[in-house]
Amino acid sequence: MTPAASSARIETAGRLRGTLLLPPDKSIAHRALIVGALGGGPTTVRMQRPGRDVESTIACLRALGVIIDDATRGSYVVSGEPWLDATLDCGNSGTTMRLLAGALAGRPLRVVLDGDASLRARPMERVAHVLRAAGAEAQTDAGHPPLRLHGRSSLSATTHELPVASAQLAGAACLAALAARGVTQVTTPAPVRDHTARLLAFAGVRVEHHGLRTTILGPARPAPFDLQIPGDLSAGAAWLVAAAIHPDAELTLDGVGLNPTRMAVVQVLRQMGADITVDESPTDGPEPSGRIIVRGGAPLQATSIGGSQVADLIDELPLLGVAMAAAAGRSELRDAGELRVKESDRIAAMVAGLTAIGAEVEELADGWRVGRGAPHDARVTTRGDHRIAMAFAVAAASGVARSVELDDPDCIGISYPGFLADLAAVRA
């Protein structure tokens, strides 16, 4: 692997070995920082090497007047007063925008939430609709950012029937519910990740989460807490896929989050034939964590993904597309149209990249069909999307491609700063 100033070339590794400490789970880190600020603190959020998305949340909270002291390495002490009107730059982070909008709907503030060109192309009317239903004023630009919000000190308890299975949308509704008088009920059409409910309960909020429904009794002020953020399993999925494909691999992920709503990627890879061991460790926090060991050498078989599986796998689907290209038989992904409105059109990006590296691919409106081909050398356009960049780095390192040149490896830092250094270490 030879990095350059504006690109990185990655070749197939002879072997993959090592133990990895992953970046902090950004889904949990965003929520911990925001809930800590709403509680007034002092709350301590412990994490190493947060990516640029989490840094966007930190910068936005500081712009609102929240004090975040990071003088002690690896610790972020959050104190939530005062709150100020502000224009907030959410960078590339849709999670920052959606969750902060929910949190700020219950504050008597005028804020504008904006971001980069990629974020401005993503849908935000869904969250604006939820916040208006609770009594806040929220406007988008034809359904997209910037999101202009006028919050209220007291919101209405509401029954939300969400149109899509989105943990970010559900999280925004739950955070707004903290300022509502009475019981707010949030129902999703399919299961979503339950990080918001777990964290609010950990902070003393009266919240119940069962199946598709979350209820919150407000108004409520979260209590201060001290939380170690576990490693991000979505980032760790890169190593699960790389080692599952490679014939000579053994990789260990230490201190990784094992939330049951995040384990679908492990289940799919096991169904495809991967050798994966999971060991949970004792914890006093709201999230289970532990160790995952994945060993290569077992042949992978084709799989089909669709329906309610998609919401559980939404961040890992590009990596699973690479696993599909290594499997015997023809795999299929359906019902994943939401991928077209992520940081990039991930369906189009994956189909283009998989075709370039030699896989047999058919693009579908809501997914793809993939079969194994002959590995090629390829230059892959990442479209500034960290998930696409990591997927094709894995394709090259594991041998699905002969080699890959990424046009924008720097975008990986959105979620996983140090990824290419870790790749260099485990292939050495």
Side-chain angles (χ1 to χ4, degrees), residues 24-38:
D25 188 305
K26 66 191 186 99
S27 294
I28 302 170
H30 287 300
R31 289 163 171 82
L33 292 162
I34 292 169
V35 172
L38 289 173

Side-chain angles (χ1 to χ4, degrees), residues 78-396:
V78 183
S79 302
E81 304 294 345
W83 294 85
L84 308 171
D85 293 353
T87 295
L88 305 176
D89 181 1
C90 301
N92 189 251
S93 178
T95 309
T96 299
M97 183 171 287
R98 295 184 180 98
L99 293 183
L100 266 182
L104 296 176
R107 298 273 166 172
L109 302 174
R110 293 182 182 270
V111 295
V112 178
L113 296 104
D114 207 349
D116 66 11
S118 169
L119 185 52
R120 280 193 163 197
R122 283 177 250 167
M124 288 295 157
E125 184 56 33
R126 296 166 182 165
V127 71
H129 176 79
V130 163
L131 302 183
R132 287 195 294 267
E137 294 181 22
Q139 296 179 331
T140 61
D141 184 0
H144 301 281
L147 174 59
R148 295 175 174 84
L149 180 66
H150 184 191
R152 298 284 186 264
S153 57
S154 180
L155 298 176
S156 301
T158 308
T159 297
H160 299 285
E161 300 281 346
L162 301 185
V164 294
S166 165
Q168 295 178 15
L169 187 57
C174 289
L175 292 174
L178 298 179
R181 296 193 175 277
V183 176
T184 293
Q185 181 175 290
V186 183
T187 303
T188 58
V192 298
R193 296 169 179 181
D194 63 353
H195 299 303
T196 304
R198 283 175 178 265
L199 185 62
L200 290 176
F202 183 64
V205 176
R206 293 180 63 181
V207 55
E208 294 183 5
H209 178 77
H210 300 291
L212 307 181
R213 182 172 300 166
T214 304
T215 57
I216 295 176
L217 178 62
R221 184 180 178 93
F225 54 86
D226 188 319
L227 181 62
Q228 175 71 48
I229 306 297
D232 194 327
L233 183 55
S234 292
W239 308 118
L240 299 182
V241 171
I245 295 170
H246 200 288
D248 185 3
E250 182 172 325
L251 295 177
T252 300
L253 311 182
D254 235 348
V256 64
L258 301 178
N259 183 301
T261 65
R262 300 285 292 278
M263 295 295 285
V265 64
V266 173
Q267 295 162 7
V268 169
L269 288 171
R270 280 174 165 169
Q271 289 165 6
M272 295 178 74
D275 180 0
I276 300 176
T277 301
V278 178
D279 294 314
E280 188 171 334
S281 302
T283 180
D284 56 3
E287 298 277 351
S289 64
R291 172 180 294 180
I292 301 178
I293 302 171
V294 55
R295 300 175 179 88
L300 299 183
Q301 303 299 316
T303 190
S304 294
I305 297 172
S308 62
Q309 285 181 291
V310 169
D312 291 340
L313 292 164
I314 197 70
D315 290 335
E316 295 82 32
L317 289 172
L319 284 159
L320 288 173
V322 173
M324 290 173 172
R330 197 157 181 84
S331 296
E332 183 176 81
L333 169 67
R334 301 302 301 264
D335 305 314
E338 191 76 7
L339 287 179
R340 293 200 184 272
V341 292
K342 290 293 189 177
E343 286 85 333
S344 68
D345 180 341
R346 286 181 176 164
I347 292 175
M350 285 302 299
V351 169
L354 289 169
T355 300
I357 66 172
E360 297 179 0
V361 192
E362 178 186 353
E363 182 171 349
L364 307 174
D366 60 350
W368 54 66
R369 293 190 184 96
V370 181
R372 189 161 58 193
H376 291 178
D377 299 310
R379 178 176 172 83
V380 171
T381 301
T382 65
R383 309 185 187 202
D385 190 326
H386 56 124
R387 304 288 183 196
I388 301 301
M390 281 192 284
F392 286 101
V394 164

Side-chain angles (χ1 to χ4, degrees), residues 383-415:
R383 309 185 187 202
D385 190 326
H386 56 124
R387 304 288 183 196
I388 301 301
M390 281 192 284
F392 286 101
V394 164
S398 62
V400 181
R402 196 159 56 192
S403 70
V404 164
E405 184 180 355
L406 300 175
D407 70 327
D408 181 16
D410 184 60
C411 69
I412 298 173
I414 289 168
S415 61

Side-chain angles (χ1 to χ4, degrees), residues 29-50:
H30 287 300
R31 289 163 171 82
L33 292 162
I34 292 169
V35 172
L38 289 173
T43 277
T44 301
V45 180
R46 303 184 189 278
M47 55 184 171
Q48 300 283 348
R49 297 192 303 170

Side-chain angles (χ1 to χ4, degrees), residues 60-85:
C60 286
L61 288 170
R62 284 174 168 160
L64 289 160
V66 176
I67 298 168
I68 301 179
D69 181 357
D70 59 354
T72 301
R73 183 177 176 83
S75 292
Y76 296 77
V77 180
V78 183
S79 302
E81 304 294 345
W83 294 85
L84 308 171
D85 293 353

